Amino acid sequence: MKVTYSKVTVVTKEKKRFSLSKILLFGVFIPTITWLILFLVLPYINLFIYSFWQAGPIKVVKEFSSANYTKFFTAVSGANAPSSILIDTIILAGTVTVFTLLLSYPLAYYINFRVTKYKQFIYMLVIIPLWISYIVRAYSWKIILGTNGILNSSLMYLHIIDKPLEFFLYSKVSVIIGMVHIYTPFVLMPIYTILEQIPRNLVEASKDLGANRFQTFFKVVFPLSLPGMIAGATFAFVLSMGDFLAPSLLGGPDSNTMIANLVQLQFGTSNNWPYGSAIGVIIFIFVLIVLDLTGRAEKKFSALDSKEER
């Protein structure tokens, strides 16, 4: 009887501990889940519902219709057709992604493998722009790229040009420059992290086996860093797709060729919320597809890296 009683006591204590851990777990996750439902899930559901309504003369007509989606894919107005604007935005976001990778990877590699002193300090200097307001960074490029800005003034002072170059500002060139500057830290951080996690003994083993620097990089370092590159590229591409401030401030008339600015126009000047919601849903679905593809690619290369290490 004593043995039975002790077993029952142990089981009861284990049940109490399990229930207590469940309560603590729910206490931690319930606020997060509630926040996500209120400020992420419900707004997207509301956006989806709005996209099937119609804009009336005074207020929204709450009658089901797929006309907004049909309008997006069938509207024809040359380069300003919504589908053309989406394609232009994808191309611009891809361009920004490529340039951010070209800037971020060499810098992250240099900090990881070449800097021996003050490594963390240099890394902090690179990501300091994240501490500065987005609008301040965008406006700073207006000062640099303007007709009387620092860049034009310097080129004229060096007698490289005779008059200010106007294509620097209020063009796609200025939008790309501004976005690359803004999103480079987002790309550099995952690349730096993945490079830091590469076992140095693998690099040393490659050198001991007779591989030179280029062979070591392309056979060892680069394949192991692909997951970080994919994560950084995803950040840059998705954020560029949804950016409307940089094109508005730096793009001038060309800012209308960004899909996010078209959405802003529908919710602002045009006051056509249903059509803006439909465009938002289309962008959201496209971004989800991109995230799914990049997530699969990242898992694939991570699995290959783990097999190579074994």
Side-chain angles (χ1 to χ4, degrees):
M1 291 297 291
K2 288 182 180 179
V3 175
T4 305
Y5 176 74
S6 62
K7 286 183 178 179
V8 172
T9 305
V10 170
V11 171
T12 305
K13 287 182 178 179
E14 287 180 355
K15 285 183 177 180
K16 286 182 177 179
R17 287 176 183 174
F18 179 72
S19 61
L20 183 61
S21 63
K22 284 181 68 177
I23 291 170
L24 291 174
L25 190 65
F26 279 116
V28 171
F29 283 106
I30 282 176
T32 305
I33 294 170
T34 304
W35 179 272
L36 289 174
I37 291 172
L38 289 176
F39 298 103
L40 187 66
V41 177
L42 290 179
Y44 275 122
I45 292 173
N46 187 44
L47 191 76
F48 183 73
I49 294 170
Y50 249 90
S51 67
F52 290 101
W53 292 343
Q54 292 294 307
I58 300 174
K59 62 180 181 179
V60 174
V61 179
K62 298 181 180 180
E63 294 179 0
F64 180 85
S65 174
S66 60
N68 293 315
Y69 293 96
T70 305
K71 179 181 177 182
F72 181 86
F73 290 105
T74 59
V76 179
S77 57
N80 291 325
S83 55
S84 299
I85 292 174
L86 178 60
I87 293 170
D88 288 343
T89 303
I90 293 170
I91 293 171
L92 189 140
T95 305
V96 171
T97 302
V98 170
F99 279 110
T100 51
L101 284 172
L102 291 175
L103 284 173
S104 301
Y105 196 96
L107 185 56
Y109 181 88
Y110 177 79
I111 295 173
N112 263 291
F113 292 97
R114 292 289 178 263
V115 177
T116 56
K117 195 175 182 181
Y118 304 120
K119 181 183 290 187
Q120 293 299 323
F121 176 72
I122 296 173
Y123 175 71
M124 290 298 295
L125 289 178
V126 174
I127 64 171
I128 271 179
L130 292 177
W131 302 353
I132 303 170
S133 170
Y134 179 101
I135 298 176
V136 171
R137 283 180 283 166
Y139 267 112
S140 67
W141 280 106
K142 292 189 72 172
I143 298 171
I144 296 170
L145 301 174
T147 305
N148 298 315
I150 298 171
L151 182 59
N152 271 314
S153 299
S154 300
L155 292 175
M156 290 178 67
Y157 178 78
L158 296 171
H159 302 289
I160 297 173
I161 58 175
D162 296 326
K163 59 181 181 178
L165 300 175
E166 297 181 357
F167 70 87
F168 282 145
L169 189 60
Y170 300 130
S171 64
K172 286 188 178 180
V173 174
S174 59
V175 174
I176 291 171
I177 291 172
M179 282 187 173
V180 168
H181 169 248
I182 290 167
Y183 295 126
T184 292
F186 290 98
V187 180
L188 184 135
M189 285 190 290
I191 295 176
Y192 177 85
T193 302
I194 201 74
L195 287 174
E196 200 171 41
Q197 292 174 356
I198 294 176
R200 294 301 186 265
N201 56 358
L202 292 178
V203 179
E204 295 299 328
S206 175
K207 292 179 180 178
D208 292 341
L209 292 172
N212 57 35
R213 290 183 179 180
F214 292 101
Q215 290 173 326
T216 300
F217 175 77
F218 286 108
K219 295 289 185 180
V220 179
V221 177
F222 186 76
L224 292 175
S225 64
L226 279 174
M229 288 181 63
I230 294 170
T234 305
F235 277 129
F237 186 83
V238 172
L239 292 171
S240 299
M241 279 284 298
D243 195 338
F244 66 92
L245 274 176
S248 297
L249 295 173
L250 302 172
D254 289 338
S255 65
N256 293 327
T257 59
M258 290 292 289
I259 196 69
N261 295 93
L262 182 60
V263 175
Q264 181 196 21
L265 182 67
Q266 301 306 315
F267 280 96
T269 308
S270 300
N271 198 29
N272 192 346
W273 289 25
Y275 186 47
S277 299
I279 300 173
V281 170
I282 292 168
I283 298 171
F284 178 67
I285 293 171
F286 178 79
V287 168
L288 286 180
I289 293 170
V290 171
L291 290 175
D292 180 66
L293 292 175
T294 54
R296 291 173 185 269
E298 191 175 345
K299 287 180 181 178
K300 178 183 177 181
F301 286 112
S302 297
L304 290 174
D305 295 341
S306 62
K307 286 179 182 178
E308 288 177 3
E309 289 180 13
R310 290 175 187 175

